[in-house]
Amino acid sequence: MKNVILIAPPAAGKGTLSKYLTDTFGYVQLSTGDMLRERAEEDTKLKEIMKTGKLIDDKTVFEALEAKLNKLGDTPYILDGFPRTVTQAVMYDELLQNMGKDLGVVIYLDVDKEELKKRVVTRLVCPKCRASYSTRNESLLPKKEGLCDNCRLELIQREDDTEEVFDKRYNEYLEKTSPLIDYYESKGLLVRISSSDANEIFKEASSLVRNA
Ligand code: AMP
């Protein structure tokens, strides 16, 4: 199984697809957002920056990522939320070369901005396992209202899941992350999935991963 990079605007379903691929194929999910949120519990400065929706500096991100990669060995993994910029992608290429690892396949989730905005304000997450739910999409409702299916803990809204912060995160995405689409397309590594139906996305991604 090849490693997977997921590129998508905020709230396009990176976390949900990662979880599906992890549960179905035994991948390990590496979310830089989750790693940074964990660090931010003990780092108020980091927490403040994350609240604004701005990107965190490369040094902090690579420190967190490298620590996880070193522990992984040869287990295939899904990168969720990384790389976020072409600079990070170039640095990551170098890191992989040094570690003797293969980049794998890049999946781009192409979702319309207005749809994303609706998702952000109806998204709930588990404070422990970070599983993501929606109060508006039937296939993503928790089994019991307001509770995580796995941990039974009360679901919460992420601090950056407001319309105002979404606009900032989306602009950051457009300016800094979307150039990655060309970067990986030109290397022949990118596959685009344009559906906004979760099951359709799971199906397409499964067949990609199986063929990878
Ligand atoms: P996410 O959970 O992927 O939406 O990320 C939440 C926040 O974490 C982002 O708005 C950034 O502040 C930070 N973040 C996550 N991944 C990265 C990254 N690769 N580079 C810089 N900042 C990141």
Side-chain angles (χ1 to χ4, degrees):
M1 209 95 72
K2 288 208 174 173
N3 297 322
V4 177
I5 291 180
L6 286 181
I7 297 181
K14 292 189 303 270
T16 306
L17 176 59
S18 298
K19 182 161 184 343
Y20 171 80
L21 293 174
T22 302
D23 292 348
T24 313
F25 298 101
Y27 276 101
V28 168
Q29 178 196 2
L30 298 182
S31 155
T32 44
D34 286 348
M35 291 173 207
L36 294 166
R37 270 185 287 279
E38 213 174 279
R39 290 193 169 210
E41 301 280 317
E42 285 152 21
D43 183 339
T44 43
K45 208 171 139 206
L46 183 61
K47 195 171 185 151
E48 285 310 308
I49 304 173
M50 288 180 77
K51 258 194 222 167
T52 68
K54 279 202 179 305
L55 291 185
I56 304 304
D57 66 282
D58 294 338
K59 186 169 171 281
T60 306
V61 175
F62 271 80
E63 253 173 37
L65 178 68
E66 272 190 71
K68 294 270 178 192
L69 282 179
N70 282 328
K71 281 196 204 139
L72 260 191
D74 289 333
T75 314
Y77 57 89
I78 300 175
L79 280 176
D80 159 4
F82 175 93
R84 285 283 234 280
T85 62
V86 173
T87 307
Q88 285 185 1
V90 173
M91 286 170 77
Y92 181 57
D93 286 343
E94 282 166 16
L95 178 67
L96 289 176
Q97 217 172 11
N98 291 338
M99 293 180 97
K101 283 181 184 282
D102 207 49
L103 184 130
V105 60
V106 183
I107 299 179
Y108 164 45
L109 298 178
D110 183 8
V111 186
D112 173 73
K113 184 179 175 189
E114 285 314 304
E115 166 65 21
L116 294 170
K117 209 172 213 177
K118 282 186 211 147
R119 286 187 197 179
V120 154
V121 292
T122 57
R123 172 157 72 177
L124 293 174
V125 295
C126 172
K128 188 167 172 227
C129 75
R130 294 280 155 198
S132 177
Y133 300 87
S134 162
T135 55
R136 112 181 209 280
N137 181 336
E138 286 230 7
S139 64
L140 295 174
L141 283 174
K143 291 196 182 101
K144 193 146 189 271
E145 195 184 332
L147 291 185
C148 175
D149 293 352
N150 314 314
C151 310
R152 301 277 152 198
L153 287 178
E154 200 163 322
L155 298 173
I156 55 166
Q157 189 167 33
R158 271 172 48 168
E159 277 185 276
D160 55 359
D161 272 351
T162 62
E163 276 199 44
E164 196 197 355
V165 181
F166 169 80
D167 283 333
K168 286 199 191 125
R169 289 166 68 206
Y170 191 83
N171 289 339
E172 286 271 288
Y173 165 80
L174 270 193
E175 187 193 327
K176 296 179 179 155
T177 307
S178 66
L180 284 175
I181 298 164
D182 285 345
Y183 180 80
Y184 287 123
E185 207 154 43
S186 68
K187 288 176 176 259
L189 295 170
L190 187 110
V191 180
R192 183 184 302 250
I193 300 183
S194 299
S195 168
S196 58
D197 175 85
N199 289 323
E200 186 58 37
I201 294 172
F202 293 165
K203 216 170 107 190
E204 282 190 44
S206 299
S207 95
L208 259 176
V209 164
R210 276 200 201 96
N211 294 328

